Amino acid sequence: MARDARGGRPAGHRPRVQQAALIVAAVFLLIGILGFIPGITTDYGDLRFAGHHSEALLLGLFQISILHNAVHLLFGLVGLAMARSVAGARLFLAGGGAIYLALWLYGLAIEAINEDGGANILPINSADNWLHLALGFGMLALGLLLSNQAGTGGRLDTPIDRP
């Protein structure tokens, strides 16, 4: 059986947690790119660098700005880099899920206080909030559920001094 360049696991086979991290990272890159394409982003002429004054909507639904698109691109690039290892993929998915759940809470707070206030720098609307909730739970679930035995050769809680 062919091995990868370092003589490790068989070439071409990645644990599911790494595959999921690569897919999620690619989706973030795609969303970041689509945010800069007129037509896919409605009211493209109203796209601003940051803040709630940006009236551009990705797919006519999600309020975006240049900073918001850049964050998606950066998140995707970080995900691609971290998906190179099982631990990195797990951290990207679970940690990223936690970040998106925090972003959901931030969005709820912005809506409750003042959606047009200065704290809404990304910008975030109600549709973004629901997407962030789904992303947070989805990424967290992928990171925690797909990685139980990935790359460890056994259970994660098997002591190192026992077979």
Side-chain angles (χ1 to χ4, degrees):
M1 182 180 297
R3 299 275 177 187
D4 68 3
R6 294 173 289 185
R9 68 178 188 281
H13 176 71
R14 291 186 188 270
R16 291 182 301 163
V17 68
Q18 283 181 286
Q19 293 172 359
L22 284 171
I23 290 168
V24 170
V27 169
F28 276 110
L29 286 172
L30 178 65
I31 295 301
I33 292 168
L34 291 176
F36 290 113
I37 299 176
I40 295 174
T41 299
T42 58
D43 299 324
Y44 187 80
D46 294 326
L47 184 68
R48 302 288 179 259
F49 178 74
H52 63 280
H53 298 295
S54 181
E55 297 297 324
L57 298 173
L58 180 63
L59 304 173
L61 191 59
F62 304 104
Q63 190 176 8
I64 59 168
S65 65
I66 294 170
L67 179 61
H68 204 149
N69 291 335
V71 168
H72 288 140
L73 290 170
L74 180 64
F75 211 75
L77 291 173
V78 167
L80 288 179
M82 292 182 79
R84 295 179 58 168
S85 71
V86 170
R90 183 181 302 140
L91 180 61
F92 170 68
L93 291 169
I99 288 170
Y100 270 90
L101 288 175
L103 192 55
W104 169 67
L105 291 174
Y106 165 77
L108 289 180
I110 292 297
E111 278 187 352
I113 297 170
N114 182 6
E115 198 170 277
D116 294 328
N120 194 2
I121 61 169
L122 277 179
I124 297 174
N125 63 9
S126 187
D128 286 310
N129 285 338
W130 290 108
L131 179 62
H132 293 157
L133 177 64
L135 277 171
F137 279 125
M139 289 176 70
L140 196 58
L142 287 171
L144 296 176
L145 298 177
L146 290 181
S147 59
N148 190 24
Q149 294 183 5
T152 62
R155 292 179 26 195
L156 293 177
D157 60 351
T158 301
I160 197 166
D161 61 340
R162 288 190 232 147

